[in-house]
């Protein structure tokens, strides 16, 4: 783990929403996608802790400072007839990488999946992020070359969802 400090990996609490959003902004900056952030911290808080919860998050803290996070939600495998966990984002601040924090976050997510009798834990990785791919493989992940992500957003989503 982090040298000379205690690492805590815990579920996010309502008071953490602004810290989580700052980490999301850090992830967007790392991926050179800051321009793509259209949401805000209050919407994140509502989706994490509101009357209808869409996502969950865990925080990694070192010496009381948030240094990483994972945001995830349940999906479902019809073939396994079991729920799964989809990891939307995993991020560790650059200055805290290679200290076991990412591994601790993934391990905690795997524990949650096992506790909830999930059939799988899955996520996507950018094709250019070879260091992340190497890390995920070292954790036992398979990278599925024969699957592609399909996405419908913005105007195309509205058009698709409009009854004709």
């Amino acid at each position: 783990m982090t040298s000379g400090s205690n690492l805590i990996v815990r579920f996010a609490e309502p008071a953490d929403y602004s810290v989580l959003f700052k980490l999301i902004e850090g992830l967007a900056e790392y991926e050179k996608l800051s321009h793509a952030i259209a949401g805000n911290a209050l919407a994140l808080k509502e989706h994490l802790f509101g009357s209808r919860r869409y996502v969950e998050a865990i925080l990694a803290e070192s010496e009381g400072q948030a240094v990483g996070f994972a945001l995830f939600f349940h999906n479902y495998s019809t073939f396994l007839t079991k729920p799964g966990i989809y990891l939307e984002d995993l991020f560790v601040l650059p200055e805290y990488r290679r200290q076991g924090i990412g591994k601790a976050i993934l391990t905690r997510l795997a524990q949650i999946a096992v506790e909830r009798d999930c059939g799988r834990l899955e996520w996507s990785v950018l094709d250019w992020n070879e260091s992340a791919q190497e890390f995920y493989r070292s954790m036992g992940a398979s990278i599925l070359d024969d699957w592609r992500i399909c996405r419908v957003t913005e105007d195309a989503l509205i058009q698709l969802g409009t009854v004709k």
Side-chain angles (χ1 to χ4, degrees), residues 46-150:
E46 180 64 25
H47 296 149
L48 281 165
F49 306 109
S51 59
R52 180 154 185 200
R53 296 178 179 193
Y54 292 96
V55 294
E56 296 178 72
I58 56 176
L59 271 179
E61 294 178 324
S62 177
E63 298 180 359
Q65 178 185 337
V67 298
F69 80 100
L71 192 120
F72 63 98
F73 53 88
H74 282 276
N75 57 12
Y76 191 81
S77 170
T78 52
F79 290 0
L80 298 175
T81 60
K82 284 189 163 198
I85 289 180
Y86 186 81
L87 171 59
E88 179 66 23
D89 288 317
L90 169 66
F91 179 70
V92 175
L93 291 170
E95 60 270 27
Y96 288 90
R97 293 188 185 150
R98 302 203 180 280
Q99 298 180 36
I101 297 169
K103 182 177 181 177
I105 292 170
L106 272 179
T107 298
R108 182 63 186 117
L109 281 172
Q111 290 168 345
I112 293 166
V114 169
E115 289 165 6
R116 295 179 184 182
D117 194 29
C118 293
R120 62 185 175 206
L121 169 62
E122 58 190 356
W123 61 93
S124 300
V125 61
L126 291 167
D127 61 355
W128 59 261
N129 197 339
E130 293 180 18
S131 64
Q133 291 175 39
E134 183 180 323
F135 168 67
Y136 295 144
R137 282 188 184 103
S138 77
M139 295 291 296
S142 300
I143 298 178
L144 308 176
D145 293 327
D146 53 343
W147 287 83
R148 300 291 183 264
I149 297 170
C150 299

